[in-house]
Amino acid sequence: MDISKSIEEFYKLYGRGEVRTFFSPGRVNLIGEHIDYNGGYVLPCAIELGTYGWVRKRNDNKIRLASKNIGLRVEVDIDDLKYEKEHSWANYPKGVLYFMKEEGYGLQGMDILVWGNIPYGAGLSSSASLELLIAEMVNNLFNHGNIPKMDLVKLSQRAENDFIGVKCGIMDQFAIAMGKENQAVLLNSHSLDFKHVNMNIGNYKMVIMNTNKRRELSDSKYNERRRECEKALNILKVHKNIDNLCQITTGEFEQLEKYLEEDLIKNRARHVVHENQRVLKACEALESGDIHQLGQLFIQSHNSLRDLYEVTGIELDTIVETALDQKSCIGARMTGAGFGGCAIALVESEGVEDFIDNVGSIYNEKIGYKPEFYTVGIGNGTRELL
Ligand code: GLA
């Protein structure tokens, strides 16, 4: 990323003067899928792909937004922030600003330019990355950096839930704000307690595999899965005093599953309960450097998301199966919401190049178009670049 070129571009758009530069990462989830809205543990990390932003304060209430990725430029007033379909990507910044204003944080006009290298629609959270970018800009420009990170996380999630209308959990925003170089974040999505865990994967590399299948269906299917989990919870609540499905252990589930008469609902709940346990095991495996165990947990997680939770699809299944057929790969799974987007694989460092060549060509043969691969590192959370 050539920062000085982008600043020149900022000058062209908005004139010369002071400019501040920010960066906000994307994320991958190592394990713990579709359980952050069921009170479960998740283990995501921030990645080195992300969204850059350049910003300058204005003396009025105007927000001017431009992107180097998408031609559309938008100008809005802080006092008139509402969702407008034709504003496309600009609705994410607008949503964040709306809730920052509602929370009573300091906020004035700004000129903003953004550019991102997170592939759009790939399930690496380009939207949460942009949300936190804007929240951190407002935090640093108008609030002396004093807004607690957790508030930035929560209001970004609210922007997504209540301004954009996607009922996502808190994992993406959390990982993006709290990420640390070479560390994953173990988050309890119920209590919001968390700790960082070293990405102790020895002689292995994490390869992100983009199926290039856009996750178009994902929002409606995502909300459908949430409703199915609520249904299971309401039934099981009658028999056990719980607030969420992840308060059930795998042993207890064996006793309780008889109350879930519909197979589909039983399967969804079974995935949730077992996936939650896999996250804790994965964390132990990382802490003790047992990469093979981590790989096995990846495989179990993917199978469960395919067979019980039904959020994979032919593209994700093909890329994961092909990855697992490679000698150098000890584990692979879909990551994020599913229905397309990305999967991750644990691959022996020396074998990465061959792995990418082989998986790329077999996937292309079977699916009819090429996937993409990223071997990016695990990086820090949203911040100002000084
Ligand atoms: C999306 C949501 C997250 C989480 C994952 C699935 O990325 O934004 O909150 O639910 O799907 O694990």
Side-chain angles (χ1 to χ4, degrees):
M1 151 82 320
D2 187 339
I3 290 189
S4 58
K5 257 198 193 151
S6 301
I7 292 180
E8 275 306 317
E9 207 163 321
F10 184 96
Y11 290 156
K12 260 192 224 141
L13 284 167
Y14 302 123
R16 303 190 87 80
E18 195 210 16
V19 189
R20 292 169 70 171
T21 305
F22 289 75
F23 174 76
S24 186
R27 69 95 189 89
V28 289
N29 187 20
L30 296 181
I31 195 161
E33 221 63 85
H34 283 278
I35 58 173
D36 67 336
Y37 51 86
N38 286 303
Y41 284 101
V42 291
L43 192 62
C45 45
I47 55 175
E48 282 168 349
L49 297 173
T51 318
Y52 291 80
W54 295 271
V55 60
R56 176 189 298 154
K57 277 185 194 177
R58 298 175 54 91
N59 293 323
D60 56 16
N61 274 351
K62 250 187 230 165
I63 304 284
R64 293 197 288 178
L65 292 156
S67 156
K68 283 160 62 104
N69 300 87
I70 303 174
L72 177 75
R73 290 171 59 187
V74 166
E75 183 176 318
V76 287
D77 193 287
I78 290 174
D79 300 314
D80 183 30
L81 294 166
K82 52 183 182 300
Y83 181 88
E84 283 164 273
K85 196 163 186 282
E86 59 282 9
H87 281 180
S88 86
W89 71 274
N91 282 305
Y92 295 95
K94 283 168 63 180
V96 170
L97 297 170
Y98 179 89
F99 287 113
M100 292 194 96
K101 182 165 177 246
E102 201 186 77
E103 293 288 318
Y105 290 125
L107 177 58
Q108 236 176 272
M110 288 179 280
D111 287 334
I112 298 175
L113 173 67
V114 299
W115 175 79
N117 56 5
I118 307 173
Y120 173 72
L124 300 177
S125 287
S126 54
S127 60
S129 171
L130 175 58
E131 287 155 11
L132 265 306
L133 179 84
I134 302 295
E136 188 63 15
M137 283 175 171
V138 174
N139 185 24
N140 286 10
L141 264 63
F142 304 111
N143 297 275
H144 313 286
N146 286 336
I147 307 178
K149 266 194 189 172
M150 193 57 95
D151 288 7
L152 302 179
V153 168
K154 286 184 181 164
L155 64 87
S156 295
Q157 186 199 11
R158 267 183 85 192
E160 187 95 27
N161 288 171
D162 301 334
F163 201 86
I164 305 294
V166 178
K167 301 289 173 202
C168 65
I170 201 162
M171 171 172 77
D172 303 345
Q173 287 79 8
F174 194 94
I176 285 166
M178 306 295 186
K180 273 201 184 150
E181 198 177 341
N182 288 326
Q183 304 199 348
V185 196
L186 175 70
L187 166 69
N188 177 327
S189 64
H190 182 57
S191 65
L192 300 185
D193 289 340
F194 69 99
K195 67 170 185 179
H196 287 97
V197 183
N198 271 331
M199 262 308 264
N200 195 359
I201 56 173
N203 190 28
Y204 288 83
K205 283 240 153 24
M206 182 176 68
V207 179
I208 304 174
M209 310 183 285
N210 183 355
T211 61
N212 272 332
K213 153 93 175 158
R214 293 274 284 273
R215 10 167 312 223
E216 269 124 21
L217 261 181
S218 65
D219 294 350
S220 61
K221 289 281 181 196
Y222 186 89
N223 291 344
E224 186 182 288
R225 291 296 176 279
R226 286 195 75 134
R227 284 195 299 276
E228 290 160 354
C229 289
E230 271 159 33
K231 193 166 174 189
L233 177 63
N234 287 333
I235 297 170
L236 296 180
K237 259 184 174 168
V238 177
H239 305 281
K240 187 172 159 48
N241 184 14
I242 47 170
D243 303 316
N244 63 61
L245 288 178
C246 287
Q247 287 169 341
I248 302 172
T249 64
T250 50
E252 287 165 348
F253 188 72
E254 300 310 313
Q255 308 300 315
L256 289 167
E257 67 172 344
K258 60 175 178 281
Y259 299 114
L260 299 172
E261 283 168 14
E262 252 179 275
D263 281 343
L264 183 141
I265 300 296
K266 190 188 294 185
N267 286 345
R268 306 295 193 243
R270 176 174 280 274
H271 164 76
V272 169
V273 170
H274 283 261
E275 181 78 354
N276 193 39
Q277 199 180 54
R278 278 191 287 271
V279 179
L280 295 176
K281 284 189 182 161
C283 199
E284 277 170 30
L286 260 185
E287 281 171 337
S288 64
D290 188 348
I291 318 302
H292 281 270
Q293 167 70 351
L294 184 65
Q296 284 303 310
L297 292 161
F298 275 23
I299 296 171
Q300 289 168 18
S301 169
H302 185 85
N303 291 346
S304 176
L305 289 155
R306 180 190 64 209
D307 301 335
L308 301 178
Y309 217 70
E310 298 181 275
V311 290
T312 57
I314 182 77
E315 298 82 3
L316 280 167
D317 290 339
T318 303
I319 212 156
V320 165
E321 273 162 34
T322 312
L324 291 175
D325 283 343
Q326 310 305 307
K327 260 211 182 123
S328 55
C329 176
I330 53 160
R333 59 178 292 278
M334 59 153 272
T335 183
F339 307 104
C342 286
I344 50 175
L346 286 172
V347 184
E348 268 169 10
S349 303
E350 316 82 74
V352 167
E353 250 173 66
D354 285 346
F355 172 88
I356 291 178
D357 282 353
N358 293 344
V359 177
S361 60
I362 298 171
Y363 179 89
N364 187 12
E365 237 165 67
K366 292 193 170 162
I367 300 294
Y369 50 84
K370 287 188 181 138
E372 275 166 59
F373 299 88
Y374 320 107
T375 48
V376 291
I378 293 175
N380 287 317
T382 309
R383 61 202 181 268
E384 181 163 10
L385 301 178
L386 299 168

